[in-house]
Amino acid sequence: MRRGGGHRLPVCPKCSLSIISRENQEDTMIKKMAETIGVGLLVLSGTAQAAFQWNLPTPVTRIASEIYDLHLIMMVIILAVFVAVFGVMFYSIYAHRRSVGHKAAHFHENTTVEIVWTIIPLIILVGMAWPATSTLLALKDASSADLTIKATGYQWKWGYDYLKGEGEGISFLSNLATPQEQITGSAPKGEHYLLEVDNQLVVPVNKKIRILATANDVIHSWMVPAFGVKQDAIPGFVRDTWFRAEKEGVYRGQCAELCGKDHGFMPIVVEVVSPEKYTAWVDEQKKKMNAAADDPNKKWNLVELKARGEKVYAANCVSCHQAGGQGVKGAFPALDGSKLANGPRGRHIEIVLNGKQGTAMAPFGKLLSDTDIAAVITHERNAWSNKTGDVIQPSEIKSARK
Amino acid sequence: MSAVIDTGHAHDGHEHHPSGIMRWITTTNHKDIGTLYLWFSFTMLLVGGMLALGVRLELFKPGLQFWHPEFFNQLTSMHGLIMVFGAIMPAFVGFANWQVPMMIGAPDMAFARLNNWSFWLLPIAATLLIVSFFVPGGAVAAGWTIYAPLSTQMGPGMDLGIFALHIMGASSIMGSINIVTTILNMRAPGMTLMKMPLFVWTWLITAYLLIAVMPVLAGSITMLLTDRHFGTSFFNAAGGGDPVLFQHIFWFFGHPEVYIMILPGFGIISQVIPAFARKPLFGYSSMVYATASIAILSFMVWAHHMFTVGMPVAGMLFFMYATVLIAVPTGVKVFNWLATMWRGSMTFETPMLFAVGFIFVFTMGGFTGLILAIAPVDIQLQDTYYVVAHFHYVLVAGSLFSLFAGFYFWVPKWTGRMYDEKLGKWHFWLSMILFNVTFFPMHFLGLAGMPRRIPDYALQFAEFNEIASIGAFGFGLSQLLFLWIILKVTVLGRGEKAGPRPWEGADTLEWTHLPSPAPYHSFHEQPVVK
């Protein structure tokens, strides 16, 4: 619904002219009323412009459309019951009032009626649950998938590994792409505010995609409403779900299980493309991955490592330890001037690799390459007021992993 | 039965008790303790409400304007904990304290000193919860459901929260034992179980539920505590545990807990409707059976809170069908209330308004519950605002409105004065309308896919959130009107004098055998019920 012409009343110009020319009080009143209504309509059309979404999103998988229909059928039944039951209640409120002189009857039991209103709802309820059963069976059947992708929930991003099928071996992290300025309000919010990522999941259309959901730290949940998919990602366990998208396009969802501070900031974006486009994407990814692989024997210098480390820090560390390394008092420790970042490097490497039990500090060893970890530690030990001058080589991380 | 003997020392109209603050600290009188419970829960309602307004303030517009995300999580979590354990549950215990002895013709609760202890544990627990905001890392921020392993990550605020829950659990268990003992042993001669007022029945069943599930909660949070501090791995996969185990144990407590918060409400409504329809409750025995069925079924449906964890399909089917079954006894209750109203001679004073409003809005919550019970649909709606809308329809429009109805209904008996009817009606209409303005749009937000517990949201959710926030502030402010109504009729003692039976259709013992206000010691001679 775009902006309607509601603010201007469909008044014939001749008539309105004649109204004005007469200029008696009554007409001025009419005019004022018309203006008020016009303004009212303008407000209404203004809000109608906004995205009021009243129902589930348009489904693009068979499961999602079955769910859509199930919900619709249930709503119809429920509304019918609602109207019947409250029709009776409001009639009674209207007719059986003392103020209209109604005298109270004295009945208080009727076994037949009791049995009837136990049995009928039972039938209706089973009638509602029955069609849901077949949908549920289909929804839980993740067998014979064309493509298997592992989705790993991290605090607070998603990681994707293409495990089986075309594109096997592709692996990347998917971070929120909305800039901080938009969130704090110092920049205008974009169209896909909070629902945009740096690397989106790409899958081919009309193929059965099996998602293996797991997590690295706490429970997350992988949700894409248009697919009718929501699967909790549980640390230490792998649970599966699946979808077969029938329409190309970009579909957006969010983490659906409270997972700490940035729970609201780890969206899921899935791009469904044609098979040809998908093949092209796979090739491109493979090339990129080969190019990105670092020579393990390369000796890095401080400047190179710091530059790379700053980027790694911005993608992984900044949401807790903050841009200035000052942390958040009482919740996330500071790195700037901290004992850890200025003390022995072995301890620093160990914490970054293995995380800290019982805190939000994740074991980044599972998440980042040796070079990235070496870079980010080098950055942390030489940024802000930290001036250790330490240069951590990837080889050092490699040996620390053992 | 020491309490029975004690009443032998009481003389008509003489009130033997210390005055000032010591009266309240040392009291063993069920009416005093009931009053304490009610004031405590109302205070918690206001505190929890303020936290909720903090949440709605942040969600008024997209973007982060007021709170850090971690503080926002503390607001939602503490709002839930305080409302469930601090406001709704103690409020019903307050009603039980005031009403159960008077309705069964008993002089007091069975264990009068235990009663005092059950209450005074609560302010201690509440203090712990409030203090937890000020410890490093802040208060509980893992949701009121404190799912592991997120809750094992939290700071000392979580330990304070766990300790507070333990204390409140102990308080609930003691209170329940007291209520069960009182109801089973201290009824007036002639009052058989099937002659008890329905409010007493619902509390008897609720008390059994509490005794059954509070230890389960205590177990789960103790396991959490040892996971946090003593190296156990109940909920940690790396040590051989399972995070989902926590959810199973929590919801085995949590689902009966839902009924703990609504069954006494059903009881209140079952007293109010007949009184204002001037007609006996329709289907008394089926009401009792329906209540019992709901309680029993409540132990078999817990995993419908967990349809998205990835259960075997057989498990999902079982929990789906079992959950749907609960609608049957619940429906029976609604139909019985309607049949009670049918061909009555109704008047609509504030208690009746809230009772009818309760039926109307609670049923909507029941319907959305039904939709959520259907597992495939729940996959779409789980952890979205649809769930938030659903449980506020049953907990605010359900439990809270029934508490309002009960307050207006019984306050003449408690104080001997009538509340301000005009303001009461304002309170009803404001609450009813603004409640719906707040929570109805949340259904649409959930359908559109807005997750729960997020401090900021995509632009497509902006309009409904704005409406909900406006409604929430209105609803919150309307409760200040309620505060004024309470103060007026209690502390200030203003309002018309009430006769012993201000509601002509009310026929339980407190109305027929006791003056208003009910004397400090009532029924030292038990009435005989025919």
Side-chain angles (χ1 to χ4, degrees):
Chain A
M1 266 192 271
R2 303 309 300 170
R3 184 188 300 276
H7 59 293
R8 202 170 287 166
L9 280 175
V11 179
C12 160
K14 267 189 188 166
C15 300
S16 66
L17 264 180
S18 68
I19 289 173
I20 293 165
S21 65
R22 268 194 264 138
E23 276 190 354
N24 63 32
Q25 250 192 323
E26 202 184 341
D27 290 339
T28 330
M29 252 179 73
I30 290 171
K31 210 179 136 202
K32 270 194 180 155
M33 272 168 67
E35 270 169 13
T36 318
I37 294 168
V39 170
L41 285 175
L42 182 67
V43 170
L44 273 178
S45 72
T47 38
Q49 241 187 318
F52 277 111
Q53 190 186 324
W54 304 94
N55 202 344
L56 291 163
T58 315
V60 291
T61 65
R62 192 171 62 87
I63 295 289
S65 64
E66 280 183 26
I67 293 174
Y68 190 94
D69 295 342
L70 268 175
H71 174 255
L72 211 62
I73 295 167
M74 288 191 69
M75 280 310 290
V76 171
I77 299 175
I78 281 171
L79 279 175
V81 175
F82 185 85
V83 169
V85 170
F86 289 105
V88 171
M89 187 176 94
F90 284 111
Y91 174 77
S92 176
I93 289 175
Y94 165 74
H96 305 150
R97 278 176 295 152
R98 192 175 63 174
S99 55
V100 296
H102 197 273
K103 293 267 186 298
H106 285 282
F107 64 87
H108 58 87
E109 236 168 4
N110 187 327
T111 316
T112 322
V113 169
E114 296 277 359
I115 291 174
V116 168
W117 68 40
T118 307
I119 302 289
I120 291 181
L122 192 66
I123 295 170
I124 296 178
L125 289 167
V126 173
M128 281 203 237
W130 190 250
T133 306
S134 62
T135 306
L136 189 62
L137 291 174
L139 183 151
K140 293 295 284 184
D141 176 18
S143 62
S144 54
D146 301 306
L147 186 59
T148 303
I149 301 170
K150 183 171 84 164
T152 310
Y154 299 95
Q155 281 173 323
W156 293 276
K157 61 172 86 30
W158 289 95
Y160 298 107
D161 298 274
Y162 287 61
L163 297 184
K164 217 172 139 202
E166 190 182 359
E168 199 172 311
I170 294 176
S171 163
F172 55 87
L173 292 172
S174 181
N175 285 288
L176 177 74
T178 304
Q180 198 64 32
E181 296 77 52
Q182 290 191 17
I183 296 173
T184 53
S186 51
K189 298 184 182 10
E191 189 192 353
H192 298 299
Y193 176 68
L194 295 188
L195 296 178
E196 52 199 343
V197 294
D198 51 1
N199 301 307
Q200 52 205 30
L201 188 66
V202 178
V203 296
V205 71
N206 283 323
K207 294 270 191 249
K208 186 165 185 175
I209 317 291
R210 181 174 178 230
I211 296 286
L212 298 179
T214 186
N216 187 55
D217 30 53
V218 300
I219 302 176
H220 302 267
S221 191
W222 199 82
M223 158 174 87
V224 181
F227 297 165
V229 163
K230 184 180 291 139
Q231 176 59 56
D232 290 0
I234 298 156
F237 291 82
V238 174
R239 299 282 158 85
D240 66 354
T241 183
W242 68 276
F243 62 88
R244 187 196 297 273
E246 291 163 358
K247 210 172 140 233
E248 291 172 37
V250 178
Y251 304 100
R252 295 163 203 274
Q254 286 178 268
C255 176
E257 181 65 60
L258 178 62
C259 55
K261 181 168 92 69
D262 283 348
H263 162 55
F265 305 93
M266 49 182 290
I268 294 144
V269 182
V270 183
E271 190 182 0
V272 177
V273 297
S274 66
E276 303 76 50
K277 257 196 182 162
Y278 179 70
T279 310
W281 179 80
V282 168
D283 290 343
E284 187 197 336
Q285 290 299 306
K286 290 260 156 103
K287 270 187 214 130
K288 244 198 228 167
M289 281 172 74
N290 288 335
D294 297 304
D295 175 4
N297 301 316
K298 181 186 168 187
K299 279 265 173 254
W300 296 68
N301 68 33
L302 181 64
V303 180
E304 286 170 334
L305 280 172
K306 271 186 72 174
R308 176 148 174 180
E310 202 172 342
K311 283 187 199 147
V312 179
Y313 185 87
N316 296 283
C317 318
V318 77
S319 74
C320 293
H321 296 295
Q322 307 298 318
Q326 76 275 25
V328 174
K329 215 171 173 234
F332 308 109
L335 295 174
D336 185 19
S338 74
K339 254 195 232 160
L340 186 75
N342 294 289
R345 52 212 273 177
R347 174 84 186 129
H348 194 167
I349 294 170
E350 191 195 319
I351 290 283
V352 176
L353 272 180
N354 303 321
K356 198 166 177 192
Q357 268 261 300
T359 70
M361 180 64 195
F364 283 94
K366 293 189 213 162
L367 210 65
L368 302 174
S369 70
D370 293 348
T371 316
D372 282 343
I373 291 182
V376 78
I377 295 175
T378 307
H379 166 72
E380 285 169 2
R381 297 177 77 79
N382 295 289
W384 319 299
S385 66
N386 300 346
K387 301 268 181 293
T388 59
D390 288 348
V391 179
I392 317 281
Q393 293 298 338
S395 54
E396 208 170 320
I397 305 298
K398 200 175 172 196
S399 55
R401 278 184 193 271
K402 284 166 190 161
Chain B
M1 290 287 104
S2 61
V4 177
I5 298 162
D6 278 350
T7 55
H9 301 294
H11 306 291
D12 281 64
H14 289 272
E15 303 182 359
H16 296 285
H17 55 68
S19 55
I21 185 81
M22 286 315 282
R23 165 180 173 188
W24 300 103
I25 291 176
T26 61
T27 184
T28 54
N29 179 286
H30 74 103
K31 298 185 182 80
D32 278 357
I33 294 174
T35 304
L36 287 172
Y37 265 108
L38 291 174
W39 272 112
F40 171 79
S41 59
F42 189 67
T43 313
M44 286 293 112
L45 181 79
L46 295 182
V47 173
M50 265 158 37
L51 299 179
L53 293 186
V55 170
R56 287 315 320 173
L57 186 67
E58 181 60 62
L59 293 176
F60 182 59
K61 291 263 177 231
L64 290 177
Q65 288 91 15
F66 296 95
W67 320 120
H68 289 294
E70 60 270 28
F71 184 68
F72 179 87
N73 289 343
Q74 294 172 32
L75 288 178
T76 55
S77 308
M78 294 300 283
H79 164 69
L81 285 172
I82 286 180
M83 287 303 199
V84 168
F85 294 101
I88 301 290
M89 288 171 68
F92 280 125
V93 182
F95 274 83
N97 258 292
W98 258 103
Q99 287 308 124
V100 167
M102 292 204 293
M103 292 173 98
I104 62 173
D108 204 305
M109 297 292 280
F111 306 117
R113 289 194 182 90
L114 185 75
N115 204 9
N116 172 291
W117 181 227
S118 312
F119 171 76
W120 281 106
L121 282 175
L122 289 179
I124 300 171
T127 311
L128 285 175
L129 282 180
I130 308 269
V131 165
S132 73
F133 272 109
F134 304 100
V135 299
V140 173
W144 84 278
T145 51
I146 50 173
Y147 277 5
L150 181 60
S151 47
T152 45
Q153 269 187 1
M154 300 273 138
M158 179 59 75
D159 299 314
L160 291 178
I162 289 174
F163 194 30
L165 282 179
H166 269 306
I167 295 175
M168 292 193 274
S171 157
S172 287
I173 292 171
M174 288 190 277
S176 304
I177 291 173
N178 208 348
I179 289 168
V180 169
T181 314
T182 307
I183 295 175
L184 292 185
N185 293 305
M186 295 173 67
R187 295 192 309 280
M191 182 175 280
T192 58
L193 283 176
M194 290 309 275
K195 277 188 187 164
M196 294 195 307
L198 214 77
F199 176 71
V200 179
W201 253 116
T202 53
W203 243 116
L204 179 64
I205 291 168
T206 303
Y208 273 112
L209 281 181
L210 275 165
I211 295 170
V213 300
M214 291 315 284
V216 178
L217 173 70
S220 68
I221 57 179
T222 305
M223 289 155 90
L224 195 60
L225 193 73
T226 62
D227 266 15
R228 284 167 57 78
H229 296 295
F230 306 111
T232 56
S233 306
F234 293 109
F235 311 126
N236 176 8
D242 182 352
V244 178
L245 175 67
F246 180 84
Q247 299 182 24
H248 280 294
I249 306 177
F250 182 85
W251 286 114
F252 189 84
F253 146 78
H255 202 79
E257 167 73 12
V258 171
Y259 294 108
I260 287 165
M261 290 188 282
I262 196 66
L263 292 182
F266 288 168
I268 293 174
I269 300 303
S270 303
Q271 302 302 136
V272 171
I273 299 264
F276 292 89
R278 294 166 181 79
K279 196 167 150 275
L281 182 69
F282 187 87
Y284 171 88
S285 46
S286 76
M287 285 300 239
V288 174
Y289 300 141
T291 312
S293 318
I294 293 174
I296 291 165
L297 281 171
S298 76
F299 286 103
M300 300 183 219
V301 297
W302 77 90
H304 68 213
H305 296 270
M306 305 160 52
F307 278 145
T308 58
V309 297
M311 260 184 277
V313 70
M316 290 179 82
L317 285 174
F318 171 79
F319 285 109
M320 175 170 87
Y321 277 93
T323 305
V324 162
L325 279 188
I326 291 196
V328 175
T330 315
V332 166
K333 285 187 161 290
V334 172
F335 298 141
N336 279 329
W337 289 323
L338 294 192
T340 309
M341 290 163 70
W342 189 254
R343 294 179 53 206
S345 177
M346 283 185 278
T347 50
F348 294 91
E349 290 88 347
T350 310
M352 184 64 164
L353 284 178
F354 270 109
V356 174
F358 165 94
I359 299 179
F360 187 63
V361 200
F362 172 80
T363 305
M364 286 159 72
F367 281 141
T368 53
L370 204 52
I371 291 200
L372 288 168
I374 301 298
V377 182
D378 182 71
I379 298 275
Q380 283 286 35
L381 300 175
Q382 164 74 359
D383 273 319
T384 67
Y385 259 80
Y386 197 89
V387 177
V388 178
H390 160 70
F391 67 69
H392 282 95
Y393 265 80
V394 289
L395 279 178
V396 179
S399 309
L400 188 63
F401 280 13
S402 73
L403 287 162
F404 287 158
F407 170 81
Y408 288 111
F409 184 52
W410 279 307
V411 80
K413 181 56 61 184
W414 299 342
T415 62
R417 290 184 184 277
M418 298 304 285
Y419 59 87
D420 188 325
E421 185 65 55
K422 202 167 147 201
L423 290 183
K425 286 196 165 123
W426 268 101
H427 178 222
F428 168 75
W429 286 109
L430 284 172
S431 295
M432 187 69 179
I433 292 166
L434 292 166
F435 166 80
N436 281 292
V437 173
T438 311
F439 292 104
F440 205 75
M442 292 187 188
H443 292 114
F444 303 120
L445 287 173
L447 285 167
M450 176 171 164
R452 289 171 74 174
R453 296 165 166 169
I454 55 173
D456 192 7
Y457 47 82
L459 300 180
Q460 74 200 74
F461 306 127
E463 287 76 18
F464 284 130
N465 268 301
E466 201 175 300
I467 299 172
S469 286
I470 293 170
F473 276 86
F475 184 75
L477 291 176
S478 314
Q479 303 323 311
L480 295 181
L481 176 64
F482 184 48
L483 174 63
W484 169 239
I485 295 170
I486 299 175
L487 288 175
K488 223 175 139 182
V489 70
T490 58
V491 179
L492 302 179
R494 277 160 46 187
E496 259 176 75
K497 276 208 183 322
R501 194 175 169 186
W503 318 118
E504 54 185 285
D507 59 358
T508 41
L509 292 178
E510 79 275 29
W511 304 113
T512 53
H513 284 64
L514 294 175
S516 297
Y520 195 65
H521 295 290
S522 43
F523 289 132
H524 22 98
E525 272 173 46
Q526 291 203 301
V528 176
V529 178
K530 279 175 213 128

